[in-house]
């Protein structure tokens, strides 16, 4: 995105403005999508921590990415819970590693995370407002739904599509 913005400065003023405007719109859409993903991750952690050890493992595995997102003011409110879980699980992993006196294997890390997820004190997490998504119907939804339903009917069901007759001949 930054390269695109810098490249736009080299273009003529009018063309550069269009490219910068498009890049800004793209960045706004990406920020909204990232915010939605972080809201979903938050909801999974706040409401179902004990059932999401793989999510927690992934957060730990991609720790740098989450820490970088946590420094962005636009996401700090959503990152607070994720960072609490990350710090808690990291300290558990460090304790187990010190006890064993060696590095942990992947399966050992997964087991510590699984146990930690079931024992995690959920009261340490800030409950955010419930997620609400709104379905917005397109002007011509049949452009999507008819081919989709037809694909389901002909490719996903157990009958021979050669015997399907739409019109009598």
């Amino acid at each position: 995105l930054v390269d695109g913005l810098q490249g736009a400065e080299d273009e003529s003023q009018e063309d550069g403005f269009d490219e910068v405007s498009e890049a800004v719109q793209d960045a706004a859409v990406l920020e909204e999508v990232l915010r939605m993903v972080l809201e979903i991750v938050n909801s999974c952690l706040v409401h179902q921590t004990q059932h999401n050890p793989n999510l927690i493992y992934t957060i730990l595995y991609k720790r740098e990415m989450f820490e970088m997102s946590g420094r962005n003011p636009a996401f700090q409110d959503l990152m607070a819970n994720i960072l609490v879980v990350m710090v808690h699980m990291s300290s558990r992993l460090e304790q187990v590693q010190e006890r064993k006196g060696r590095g942990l294997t992947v399966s050992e890390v997964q087991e510590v995370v699984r146990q930690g997820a079931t024992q995690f004190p959920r009261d340490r997490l800030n409950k955010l407002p419930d997620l609400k998504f709104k379905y917005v119907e397109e002007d011509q939804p049949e452009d999507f739904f008819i081919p989709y339903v037809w694909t389901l009917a002909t490719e996903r069901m157990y009958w021979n599509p050669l015997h399907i007759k739409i019109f009598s001949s």
Side-chain angles (χ1 to χ4, degrees):
L1 181 61
V2 173
D3 292 337
L5 290 173
Q6 289 172 344
E9 292 172 3
D10 298 337
E11 301 291 325
S12 69
Q13 182 65 23
E14 189 173 311
D15 290 340
F17 178 77
D18 290 343
E19 288 181 25
V20 169
S21 176
E22 189 175 314
V24 169
Q25 288 175 346
D26 289 348
V29 169
L30 290 174
E31 182 177 320
E32 186 177 326
V33 169
L34 183 55
R35 190 162 181 77
M36 189 182 315
V37 169
L38 291 174
E39 286 175 346
I40 293 168
V41 169
N42 246 296
S43 182
C44 292
L45 293 175
V46 169
H47 299 290
Q48 298 289 322
T49 310
Q50 67 277 13
H51 299 295
N52 287 299
N54 290 334
L55 174 62
I56 295 169
Y57 179 85
T58 302
I59 290 170
L60 292 170
Y61 186 74
K62 294 291 187 178
R63 179 183 192 117
E64 294 83 21
M65 181 185 71
F66 283 99
E67 287 173 342
M68 187 171 43
S69 298
R71 288 190 294 270
N72 186 330
F75 305 125
Q76 285 180 342
D77 58 329
L78 296 171
M79 289 303 301
N81 288 335
I82 295 170
L83 293 173
V84 166
V85 171
M86 204 168 26
V87 167
H88 178 80
M89 292 298 174
S90 293
S91 68
R92 287 182 67 104
L93 289 168
E94 288 172 9
Q95 290 171 358
V96 171
Q97 190 171 348
E98 286 175 9
R99 255 193 326 231
K100 293 191 178 228
R102 60 175 173 79
L104 302 175
T105 66
V106 172
S107 59
E108 289 172 329
V109 170
Q110 289 173 330
E111 182 59 25
V112 170
V113 169
R114 188 188 62 72
Q115 289 174 357
T118 59
Q119 299 167 357
F120 184 79
R122 288 191 347 203
D123 59 331
R124 293 180 57 193
L125 300 176
N126 298 324
K127 186 161 176 9
L128 299 174
D130 289 335
L131 298 178
K132 292 185 176 26
F133 298 100
K134 183 178 179 181
Y135 172 73
V136 178
E137 189 169 307
E138 297 292 325
D139 292 335
Q140 296 178 321
E142 61 275 0
D143 290 348
F144 169 76
F145 285 108
I146 290 175
Y148 177 70
V149 171
W150 184 250
T151 300
L152 289 176
T154 59
E155 296 177 11
R156 307 275 186 211
M157 298 181 111
Y158 299 107
W159 58 42
N160 188 344
L162 298 175
H163 297 310
I164 299 172
K165 294 185 181 181
I166 297 176
F167 303 107
S168 59
S169 44

